[in-house]
Amino acid sequence: MQTGEKAVVTITGIAAGGDGVGRIHGAVVFVPGTCRGDVAEIQIEYVKSGCFYGRVLRFLEASKHHRSDFCDACGTCGGCNFAHMDYEEQRIVKRQIVADAIERIGGFHDIEVAETLAAPRPERYRNKMVFPLGTDQQGRPVGGFYAPGSHDLIPLADCRQGDTAASAWLSEAVSFLREHHVSVYHEATRKGLARRLFVRLAEATHQAMVVLTINGDSLPHQEELINRLLAVKTDYRLTSVMLNIHKEANNLLLGSKNKLLYGKDYIEDILGGFSFRISAHSFYQVNSPQTERLYQTAIDLASLSGGETVLDLYCGIGTISLFAAKHAGRVIGVEVVPQAIENAKENAERNGVRNVEFLLGKAEDIAPELKKEKPSVVFLDPPRKGADKKALEALVTMAPEKIVYISCNPATLARDLKFLCGEGYSLEKIIPVDMFPNTSHVECCVLLCRNEHASI
Ligand code: SAH
């Protein structure tokens, strides 16, 4: 088969990236926008490493798991690659994606993956929306999302992953840019001012932060932008407006410097009875109603007894640390982003939690020094690339009884579990948690216990 050729394919599974998987004469073919059970006529778009990548021309038999009412941009916008799939099927597929990674990458053959913990609200759940800005064919500013695998902007008036408040602020910001002929940043030329609109909402307090990232040091008519954003009627209260200075050619969402235009440079949210301050640069789980359940699942897996020393590596603003502190003797959190550590310290103080301390630095640099603290439980919640090998090696020499690994990437999770299980740990439980409905992303909570006879 060659690029451009047509074939009929039956979709039998879903790959980690969200594409449907079928076979043509024994070779694997990946087809986005499909469900298990689809029979589709496809066209081959390209061939890579012996696998075909195709596009649906028409469905000959559509799977019962299809839905067509989620979003008009389904298929063109790269935001939600499971928008076409009913929610129950998404849960089943995510469990399978985790099981496949654990088996194929981790080499575990007899591990039962638990059912995916469903999200309480499978739409309009995102508390953070980052809208890239671009221009339409007339050169006017627009905001929206990128098409799959590209930086072509798909303008969107509203996105069903986020609250309508986020869309309302985007629309107001775009009108402002148009009326004042503010230029929009173009990646190819690196010219133009406005780059992205970042909106963060605190569900429990209804506080909101809006940040405009710019390729420059100032914004013309900024007072008017502030007033216009403040005048937008939403269920949220705008308590923070900032400019973010982002002149680098990289893909990072935010540049390193913020300029406060209105209110505070953080918002406050409440989770598990604790109040959290969150800065623009700090990581905060995007699905608030499901976050408490994620943390509770992690805490339950640790079954803390009240007296132990606990390590929270990759602690962000100290959320898991505070949840764990209630049930432990002492908690030490480690995090690399200075604003997040600042938030974490304030959060502990403001909530009256005294048995926690926070250390700024890379987990891989700090973990080796923490062996002397003799932690018996370690929470490990790294970014998508997984834990650094040095951090894992330090964990092994520290030899905590339990490791609770919280992961947003089954592939790097499986890789790291393979390493830890080769070094004296056994994989006890793995629970997928759906933090990201309508996308193929899946979070997992994992319990590892140190084998009784493992040597250090
Ligand atoms: N446990 C937190 C944060 C998890 S996200 C929560 O649930 O909110 C992962 C965190 O790891 C981010 O805050 C990121 O800034 C931090 N991080 C990334 N690389 C790191 C490293 N090498 N060492 C320590 N922290 C790191």
Side-chain angles (χ1 to χ4, degrees), residues 283 285 295 314-316 319-320 334-337 361-364 381-383:
F283 175 88
Q285 293 285 352
Y295 292 161
Y314 309 90
C315 70
T319 42
I320 295 174
V334 178
E335 161 66 43
V336 76
V337 172
K362 289 186 177 169
E364 53 273 31
D381 185 7

PDB file of all heavy atoms in Angstrom, residues 283 285 295 314-316 319-320 334-337 361-364 381-383, ligand 1:
ATOM      1  N   PHE A 283       1.875  25.021  38.628  1.00  0.00           N
ATOM      2  CA  PHE A 283       1.023  23.944  38.128  1.00  0.00           C
ATOM      3  C   PHE A 283      -0.171  23.781  39.057  1.00  0.00           C
ATOM      4  O   PHE A 283      -0.040  23.832  40.275  1.00  0.00           O
ATOM      5  CB  PHE A 283       1.824  22.629  38.079  1.00  0.00           C
ATOM      6  CG  PHE A 283       0.965  21.458  37.676  1.00  0.00           C
ATOM      7  CD1 PHE A 283       0.801  21.143  36.343  1.00  0.00           C
ATOM      8  CD2 PHE A 283       0.285  20.716  38.635  1.00  0.00           C
ATOM      9  CE1 PHE A 283      -0.037  20.093  35.972  1.00  0.00           C
ATOM     10  CE2 PHE A 283      -0.546  19.669  38.272  1.00  0.00           C
ATOM     11  CZ  PHE A 283      -0.698  19.354  36.938  1.00  0.00           C
ATOM     12  N   GLN A 285      -3.817  21.214  39.002  1.00  0.00           N
ATOM     13  CA  GLN A 285      -4.596  20.233  38.237  1.00  0.00           C
ATOM     14  C   GLN A 285      -5.760  20.929  37.545  1.00  0.00           C
ATOM     15  O   GLN A 285      -6.433  21.753  38.165  1.00  0.00           O
ATOM     16  CB  GLN A 285      -5.132  19.138  39.167  1.00  0.00           C
ATOM     17  CG  GLN A 285      -4.055  18.246  39.760  1.00  0.00           C
ATOM     18  CD  GLN A 285      -3.493  17.246  38.753  1.00  0.00           C
ATOM     19  OE1 GLN A 285      -3.987  17.102  37.636  1.00  0.00           O
ATOM     20  NE2 GLN A 285      -2.436  16.563  39.154  1.00  0.00           N
ATOM     21  N   TYR A 295      -6.493  12.966  44.531  1.00  0.00           N
ATOM     22  CA  TYR A 295      -5.645  13.044  45.726  1.00  0.00           C
ATOM     23  C   TYR A 295      -6.123  12.053  46.786  1.00  0.00           C
ATOM     24  O   TYR A 295      -5.315  11.423  47.460  1.00  0.00           O
ATOM     25  CB  TYR A 295      -5.644  14.467  46.295  1.00  0.00           C
ATOM     26  CG  TYR A 295      -4.963  15.488  45.412  1.00  0.00           C
ATOM     27  CD1 TYR A 295      -5.216  16.840  45.567  1.00  0.00           C
ATOM     28  CD2 TYR A 295      -4.044  15.104  44.432  1.00  0.00           C
ATOM     29  CE1 TYR A 295      -4.591  17.790  44.763  1.00  0.00           C
ATOM     30  CE2 TYR A 295      -3.428  16.051  43.625  1.00  0.00           C
ATOM     31  CZ  TYR A 295      -3.708  17.388  43.793  1.00  0.00           C
ATOM     32  OH  TYR A 295      -3.087  18.323  43.001  1.00  0.00           O
ATOM     33  N   TYR A 314       7.993  16.519  43.295  1.00  0.00           N
ATOM     34  CA  TYR A 314       7.232  17.223  42.249  1.00  0.00           C
ATOM     35  C   TYR A 314       5.931  17.738  42.873  1.00  0.00           C
ATOM     36  O   TYR A 314       4.834  17.427  42.417  1.00  0.00           O
ATOM     37  CB  TYR A 314       6.917  16.294  41.061  1.00  0.00           C
ATOM     38  CG  TYR A 314       8.114  15.561  40.490  1.00  0.00           C
ATOM     39  CD1 TYR A 314       8.491  14.306  40.963  1.00  0.00           C
ATOM     40  CD2 TYR A 314       8.867  16.138  39.477  1.00  0.00           C
ATOM     41  CE1 TYR A 314       9.584  13.635  40.440  1.00  0.00           C
ATOM     42  CE2 TYR A 314       9.969  15.476  38.944  1.00  0.00           C
ATOM     43  CZ  TYR A 314      10.317  14.222  39.431  1.00  0.00           C
ATOM     44  OH  TYR A 314      11.404  13.551  38.911  1.00  0.00           O
ATOM     45  N   CYS A 315       6.052  18.517  43.930  1.00  0.00           N
ATOM     46  CA  CYS A 315       4.887  18.836  44.769  1.00  0.00           C
ATOM     47  C   CYS A 315       4.057  20.014  44.292  1.00  0.00           C
ATOM     48  O   CYS A 315       2.984  20.260  44.838  1.00  0.00           O
ATOM     49  CB  CYS A 315       5.331  19.076  46.210  1.00  0.00           C
ATOM     50  SG  CYS A 315       6.261  20.608  46.412  1.00  0.00           S
ATOM     51  N   GLY A 316       4.526  20.780  43.277  1.00  0.00           N
ATOM     52  CA  GLY A 316       3.740  21.934  42.825  1.00  0.00           C
ATOM     53  C   GLY A 316       3.485  22.895  43.976  1.00  0.00           C
ATOM     54  O   GLY A 316       4.393  23.247  44.733  1.00  0.00           O
ATOM     55  N   THR A 319      -0.242  20.731  47.135  1.00  0.00           N
ATOM     56  CA  THR A 319      -1.580  20.159  47.332  1.00  0.00           C
ATOM     57  C   THR A 319      -1.517  18.782  48.003  1.00  0.00           C
ATOM     58  O   THR A 319      -2.108  18.580  49.070  1.00  0.00           O
ATOM     59  CB  THR A 319      -2.319  20.067  45.986  1.00  0.00           C
ATOM     60  OG1 THR A 319      -1.395  19.605  45.001  1.00  0.00           O
ATOM     61  CG2 THR A 319      -2.876  21.406  45.551  1.00  0.00           C
ATOM     62  N   ILE A 320      -0.793  17.855  47.389  1.00  0.00           N
ATOM     63  CA  ILE A 320      -0.731  16.496  47.955  1.00  0.00           C
ATOM     64  C   ILE A 320      -0.075  16.556  49.338  1.00  0.00           C
ATOM     65  O   ILE A 320      -0.490  15.864  50.267  1.00  0.00           O
ATOM     66  CB  ILE A 320       0.033  15.534  47.010  1.00  0.00           C
ATOM     67  CG1 ILE A 320      -0.757  15.370  45.711  1.00  0.00           C
ATOM     68  CG2 ILE A 320       0.292  14.182  47.665  1.00  0.00           C
ATOM     69  CD1 ILE A 320      -0.054  14.564  44.639  1.00  0.00           C
ATOM     70  N   VAL A 334       9.110  18.737  47.394  1.00  0.00           N
ATOM     71  CA  VAL A 334      10.206  19.207  46.544  1.00  0.00           C
ATOM     72  C   VAL A 334       9.646  19.627  45.193  1.00  0.00           C
ATOM     73  O   VAL A 334       8.857  18.882  44.587  1.00  0.00           O
ATOM     74  CB  VAL A 334      11.263  18.083  46.338  1.00  0.00           C
ATOM     75  CG1 VAL A 334      12.385  18.564  45.417  1.00  0.00           C
ATOM     76  CG2 VAL A 334      11.819  17.600  47.670  1.00  0.00           C
ATOM     77  N   GLU A 335      10.068  20.801  44.717  1.00  0.00           N
ATOM     78  CA  GLU A 335       9.506  21.349  43.482  1.00  0.00           C
ATOM     79  C   GLU A 335      10.505  22.314  42.860  1.00  0.00           C
ATOM     80  O   GLU A 335      11.205  23.035  43.568  1.00  0.00           O
ATOM     81  CB  GLU A 335       8.178  22.055  43.830  1.00  0.00           C
ATOM     82  CG  GLU A 335       7.643  23.049  42.832  1.00  0.00           C
ATOM     83  CD  GLU A 335       7.210  22.437  41.503  1.00  0.00           C
ATOM     84  OE1 GLU A 335       6.564  21.372  41.508  1.00  0.00           O
ATOM     85  OE2 GLU A 335       7.538  23.030  40.456  1.00  0.00           O
ATOM     86  N   VAL A 336      10.515  22.367  41.512  1.00  0.00           N
ATOM     87  CA  VAL A 336      11.532  23.170  40.823  1.00  0.00           C
ATOM     88  C   VAL A 336      11.088  24.606  40.496  1.00  0.00           C
ATOM     89  O   VAL A 336      11.932  25.474  40.281  1.00  0.00           O
ATOM     90  CB  VAL A 336      12.003  22.420  39.540  1.00  0.00           C
ATOM     91  CG1 VAL A 336      10.972  22.533  38.428  1.00  0.00           C
ATOM     92  CG2 VAL A 336      13.361  22.905  39.085  1.00  0.00           C
ATOM     93  N   VAL A 337       9.775  24.866  40.443  1.00  0.00           N
ATOM     94  CA  VAL A 337       9.317  26.214  40.057  1.00  0.00           C
ATOM     95  C   VAL A 337       9.235  27.121  41.289  1.00  0.00           C
ATOM     96  O   VAL A 337       8.478  26.829  42.224  1.00  0.00           O
ATOM     97  CB  VAL A 337       7.944  26.158  39.337  1.00  0.00           C
ATOM     98  CG1 VAL A 337       7.361  27.547  39.116  1.00  0.00           C
ATOM     99  CG2 VAL A 337       8.072  25.426  38.012  1.00  0.00           C
ATOM    100  N   GLY A 361      14.011  23.052  44.213  1.00  0.00           N
ATOM    101  CA  GLY A 361      15.099  22.441  43.447  1.00  0.00           C
ATOM    102  C   GLY A 361      14.584  21.281  42.632  1.00  0.00           C
ATOM    103  O   GLY A 361      13.397  20.958  42.681  1.00  0.00           O
ATOM    104  N   LYS A 362      15.495  20.683  41.890  1.00  0.00           N
ATOM    105  CA  LYS A 362      15.103  19.543  41.070  1.00  0.00           C
ATOM    106  C   LYS A 362      15.020  18.295  41.943  1.00  0.00           C
ATOM    107  O   LYS A 362      15.901  18.070  42.784  1.00  0.00           O
ATOM    108  CB  LYS A 362      16.136  19.293  39.971  1.00  0.00           C
ATOM    109  CG  LYS A 362      16.120  20.360  38.903  1.00  0.00           C
ATOM    110  CD  LYS A 362      17.066  19.967  37.800  1.00  0.00           C
ATOM    111  CE  LYS A 362      16.996  20.991  36.690  1.00  0.00           C
ATOM    112  NZ  LYS A 362      18.041  20.825  35.711  1.00  0.00           N
ATOM    113  N   ALA A 363      13.995  17.490  41.705  1.00  0.00           N
ATOM    114  CA  ALA A 363      13.825  16.259  42.479  1.00  0.00           C
ATOM    115  C   ALA A 363      15.099  15.415  42.421  1.00  0.00           C
ATOM    116  O   ALA A 363      15.540  14.872  43.434  1.00  0.00           O
ATOM    117  CB  ALA A 363      12.635  15.467  41.931  1.00  0.00           C
ATOM    118  N   GLU A 364      15.713  15.363  41.233  1.00  0.00           N
ATOM    119  CA  GLU A 364      16.893  14.501  41.070  1.00  0.00           C
ATOM    120  C   GLU A 364      18.100  15.020  41.853  1.00  0.00           C
ATOM    121  O   GLU A 364      18.976  14.258  42.236  1.00  0.00           O
ATOM    122  CB  GLU A 364      17.237  14.315  39.581  1.00  0.00           C
ATOM    123  CG  GLU A 364      17.399  15.569  38.753  1.00  0.00           C
ATOM    124  CD  GLU A 364      16.095  16.094  38.154  1.00  0.00           C
ATOM    125  OE1 GLU A 364      15.030  15.906  38.776  1.00  0.00           O
ATOM    126  OE2 GLU A 364      16.151  16.720  37.082  1.00  0.00           O
ATOM    127  N   ASP A 381       4.910  12.612  41.646  1.00  0.00           N
ATOM    128  CA  ASP A 381       3.917  13.115  40.685  1.00  0.00           C
ATOM    129  C   ASP A 381       4.608  13.956  39.617  1.00  0.00           C
ATOM    130  O   ASP A 381       4.421  15.168  39.538  1.00  0.00           O
ATOM    131  CB  ASP A 381       2.870  13.953  41.455  1.00  0.00           C
ATOM    132  CG  ASP A 381       1.725  14.419  40.581  1.00  0.00           C
ATOM    133  OD1 ASP A 381       1.639  14.008  39.418  1.00  0.00           O
ATOM    134  OD2 ASP A 381       0.895  15.209  41.073  1.00  0.00           O
ATOM    135  N   PRO A 382       5.434  13.297  38.772  1.00  0.00           N
ATOM    136  CA  PRO A 382       6.255  14.060  37.826  1.00  0.00           C
ATOM    137  C   PRO A 382       5.465  14.554  36.613  1.00  0.00           C
ATOM    138  O   PRO A 382       4.334  14.124  36.395  1.00  0.00           O
ATOM    139  CB  PRO A 382       7.299  13.031  37.378  1.00  0.00           C
ATOM    140  CG  PRO A 382       6.612  11.720  37.480  1.00  0.00           C
ATOM    141  CD  PRO A 382       5.637  11.832  38.619  1.00  0.00           C
ATOM    142  N   PRO A 383       6.066  15.452  35.811  1.00  0.00           N
ATOM    143  CA  PRO A 383       5.416  15.860  34.560  1.00  0.00           C
ATOM    144  C   PRO A 383       5.414  14.721  33.537  1.00  0.00           C
ATOM    145  O   PRO A 383       5.885  13.625  33.828  1.00  0.00           O
ATOM    146  CB  PRO A 383       6.282  17.043  34.092  1.00  0.00           C
ATOM    147  CG  PRO A 383       7.555  16.953  34.832  1.00  0.00           C
ATOM    148  CD  PRO A 383       7.332  16.133  36.053  1.00  0.00           C
TER     149      PRO A 383
HETATM  150  N1  SAH B   1       1.772  17.314  42.728  1.00  0.00           N
HETATM  151  C1  SAH B   1       1.414  18.588  42.155  1.00  0.00           C
HETATM  152  C2  SAH B   1       2.172  18.921  40.863  1.00  0.00           C
HETATM  153  C3  SAH B   1       2.256  17.850  39.819  1.00  0.00           C
HETATM  154  S1  SAH B   1       2.763  18.398  38.215  1.00  0.00           S
HETATM  155  C4  SAH B   1      -0.076  18.689  41.940  1.00  0.00           C
HETATM  156  O1  SAH B   1      -0.791  17.693  41.957  1.00  0.00           O
HETATM  157  O2  SAH B   1      -0.566  19.811  41.757  1.00  0.00           O
HETATM  158  C5  SAH B   1       4.471  18.173  38.217  1.00  0.00           C
HETATM  159  C6  SAH B   1       5.244  19.229  38.944  1.00  0.00           C
HETATM  160  O3  SAH B   1       6.647  18.903  38.838  1.00  0.00           O
HETATM  161  C7  SAH B   1       5.107  20.639  38.400  1.00  0.00           C
HETATM  162  O4  SAH B   1       4.783  21.501  39.454  1.00  0.00           O
HETATM  163  C8  SAH B   1       6.501  20.958  37.832  1.00  0.00           C
HETATM  164  O5  SAH B   1       6.849  22.327  37.984  1.00  0.00           O
HETATM  165  C9  SAH B   1       7.394  20.091  38.695  1.00  0.00           C
HETATM  166  N2  SAH B   1       8.686  19.685  38.137  1.00  0.00           N
HETATM  167  C10 SAH B   1       9.021  19.478  36.844  1.00  0.00           C
HETATM  168  N3  SAH B   1      10.278  19.002  36.754  1.00  0.00           N
HETATM  169  C11 SAH B   1      10.748  18.911  38.029  1.00  0.00           C
HETATM  170  C12 SAH B   1      11.996  18.470  38.588  1.00  0.00           C
HETATM  171  N4  SAH B   1      12.977  18.030  37.827  1.00  0.00           N
HETATM  172  N5  SAH B   1      12.116  18.473  39.941  1.00  0.00           N
HETATM  173  C13 SAH B   1      11.108  18.908  40.735  1.00  0.00           C
HETATM  174  N6  SAH B   1       9.924  19.349  40.253  1.00  0.00           N
HETATM  175  C14 SAH B   1       9.737  19.335  38.906  1.00  0.00           C
END
